[in-house]
Amino acid sequence: MFKNRKTALLLATLIIIIAAAAGVWLFMGNKGDDQSNTAQTPETKSLSQQFYIYDTVVSIKIFGDKVSQKNMDDIQQLLERMDIEFSRTKEGGEIYNVNLQAGKNAVAVSDETLDAIKQSIKYAEEMNGLFDPTIGPLVDLWNIGNGGEKVPQQAEIDKAKSLTNYKDIIIDEQAKTVKLAKEGMVLDLGGIGKGYAADRIADYLKSQGLDSAMINLGGSSIIGLGTKPSGAQWNIGLQDPDKSRGTQLGTIKISNEVIDASGVYERFFIQDGVRYHHILDPRTGYPSQNGLKSVTIMSPNATDADALSTGVFLMGYEEGLKYLESLPEKVEAFFITDDNKIYATPGIRERLVLTDPTYSFGN
């Protein structure tokens, strides 16, 4: 993708600087924290670190008297391993190999990759294919966010759609193999990858006796693990979906909770006055055009929230709200429409503090 290593390093550095300065989600409750790598308060030790991985900036801050640099090193190794395992573009990775052998051979995968694929299939079944981990042919065709985008020809879209069907993923659990039934199929775990990684980080920290942390994968998957050492909740600033404004629309407090957002502002291009964003609808093969700017999901589980933020966005506000209400577990959400109205589930409606008068509640 990059012309040379120097360009890649410069781009990564620039992204880190921008993310540190603004970010998709702003940790408003931590403004007074020491910005050095380690910080010592009279009560609790803390450690902060950033990584550039998953093509985004990952920020981790851990509180606890037992926290050490080894914890950060372990997290980095975990992220780097999953980044390779789950990538459809990194040669030698497990998903890359599954795609390479599409329509030909089954590929042995790790327990971790097998689990992520099985969870993806479960979400696809529960959302009637609106979330589909085989969306890769459409993602590759539109290529949004990589420059030179344009609306594909309808024949190209139809061909990519014919290769998008989660039911054509063949799993042999005993042999721990995965096969794609048709040549040209492309498995893409981008819809749950960050959420899955965030959950694994949280699991690791709990196993180490560390239960107070802020885990932020690129602003789209955030876990507020436990509470702050003082017992206060994490105060999260919510970015305006119109990123060009550079403002936040409000704040919300969380503890032991996940925030995951999907929106039209993340990656897009404009052609003939129409915005084409990266959230592709498997039913049409096109980016969704349903009047939504963004959907934010709040749940106890980051993997669930990641998948739901995509599928529920494609459902639209009314159908998406009904779907969330039908779930056995408690999941909260708010939808932002093109006219800057916010439609929230009751649990969020009473917690979300709006600070930008551009936005108002629609329900």
Side-chain angles (χ1 to χ4, degrees):
M1 177 179 175
F2 299 106
K3 290 183 179 179
N4 53 54
R5 182 176 179 83
K6 182 178 179 182
T7 304
L9 290 172
L10 287 172
L11 180 58
T13 301
L14 179 59
I15 292 173
I16 288 174
I17 292 171
I18 293 172
V24 180
W25 301 90
L26 306 177
F27 300 144
M28 300 302 292
N30 295 332
K31 276 190 173 181
D33 289 345
D34 184 6
Q35 296 302 308
S36 61
N37 192 50
T38 58
Q40 182 76 38
T41 68
E43 298 84 14
T44 308
K45 179 182 176 183
S46 70
L47 189 66
S48 301
Q49 194 161 332
Q50 287 188 333
F51 313 95
Y52 182 73
I53 201 163
Y54 280 104
D55 293 325
T56 192
V57 178
V58 176
S59 300
I60 310 290
K61 185 162 189 176
I62 309 167
F63 293 87
D65 293 334
K66 296 188 295 183
V67 66
S68 70
Q69 184 57 43
K70 183 181 183 301
N71 299 129
M72 288 298 186
D73 294 342
D74 288 346
I75 289 171
Q76 182 173 3
Q77 291 175 13
L78 178 153
L79 288 170
E80 289 175 347
R81 183 184 70 248
M82 286 192 290
D83 185 35
I84 295 173
E85 285 178 352
F86 295 173
S87 173
R88 77 179 198 281
T89 59
K90 287 183 168 64
E91 291 188 25
E94 294 181 344
I95 297 301
Y96 179 91
N97 289 335
V98 169
N99 292 336
L100 193 66
Q101 295 296 322
K104 302 172 187 175
N105 302 305
V107 175
V109 298
S110 64
D111 290 340
E112 203 165 50
T113 299
L114 189 65
D115 181 50
I117 294 172
K118 287 168 59 180
Q119 290 202 46
S120 293
I121 294 172
K122 175 180 73 76
Y123 298 128
E125 291 172 344
E126 292 175 353
M127 289 186 271
N128 295 318
L130 281 182
F131 176 89
D132 195 321
T134 63
I135 194 99
L138 284 166
V139 173
D140 290 341
L141 177 63
W142 283 87
N143 199 34
I144 295 174
N146 294 315
E149 301 96 335
K150 64 178 180 179
V151 177
Q153 297 295 316
Q154 186 61 48
E156 296 175 308
I157 292 174
D158 291 341
K159 181 179 179 180
K161 277 177 58 184
S162 72
L163 296 170
T164 301
N165 189 342
Y166 69 92
K167 296 179 182 179
D168 287 331
I169 303 173
I170 303 168
I171 290 179
D172 185 331
E173 291 201 48
Q174 186 172 0
K176 296 182 181 179
T177 62
V178 179
K179 181 180 178 181
L180 301 178
K182 299 177 182 177
E183 190 170 354
M185 288 182 68
V186 179
L187 190 60
D188 184 345
L189 297 186
I192 72 162
K194 290 179 184 176
Y196 190 91
D199 280 335
R200 300 293 75 75
I201 294 171
D203 290 343
Y204 164 77
L205 291 176
K206 292 174 186 176
S207 74
Q208 300 298 303
L210 298 166
D211 57 5
S212 177
M214 177 57 65
I215 303 165
N216 176 10
L217 273 73
S220 58
S221 287
I222 295 174
I223 298 180
L225 184 61
T227 63
K228 295 181 181 181
S230 65
Q233 292 181 298
W234 307 100
N235 195 33
I236 308 298
L238 305 176
Q239 173 68 38
D240 185 335
D242 182 359
K243 289 178 70 176
S244 64
R245 288 163 49 85
T247 58
Q248 67 175 46
L249 64 87
T251 62
I252 194 164
K253 292 181 178 180
I254 66 171
S255 58
N256 276 326
E257 201 166 9
V258 173
I259 295 181
D260 194 289
S262 288
V264 302
Y265 52 85
E266 295 176 62
R267 298 190 305 275
F268 66 91
F269 70 97
I270 296 176
Q271 182 174 318
D272 299 327
V274 178
R275 179 195 292 254
Y276 296 93
H277 54 80
H278 75 292
I279 306 175
L280 302 173
D281 191 331
R283 297 170 297 188
T284 65
Y286 283 81
S288 173
Q289 301 290 342
N290 60 9
L292 288 179
K293 280 186 179 182
S294 70
V295 171
T296 299
I297 301 290
M298 298 181 65
S299 76
N301 180 288
T303 312
D304 288 347
D306 207 359
L308 285 170
S309 68
T310 299
V312 169
F313 184 100
L314 293 172
M315 292 178 193
Y317 158 58
E318 293 184 357
E319 184 183 344
L321 193 59
K322 290 178 182 177
Y323 178 78
L324 292 175
E325 290 172 346
S326 73
L327 295 177
E329 64 273 18
K330 186 172 181 60
V331 177
E332 303 286 358
F334 66 89
F335 304 74
I336 302 180
T337 57
D338 288 340
D339 60 357
N340 294 334
K341 296 293 185 183
I342 296 176
Y343 296 87
T345 56
I348 285 185
R349 177 67 172 81
E350 60 190 29
R351 293 166 59 190
L352 180 58
V353 179
L354 296 182
T355 57
D356 185 343
T358 305
Y359 294 90
S360 61
F361 288 105
N363 63 340

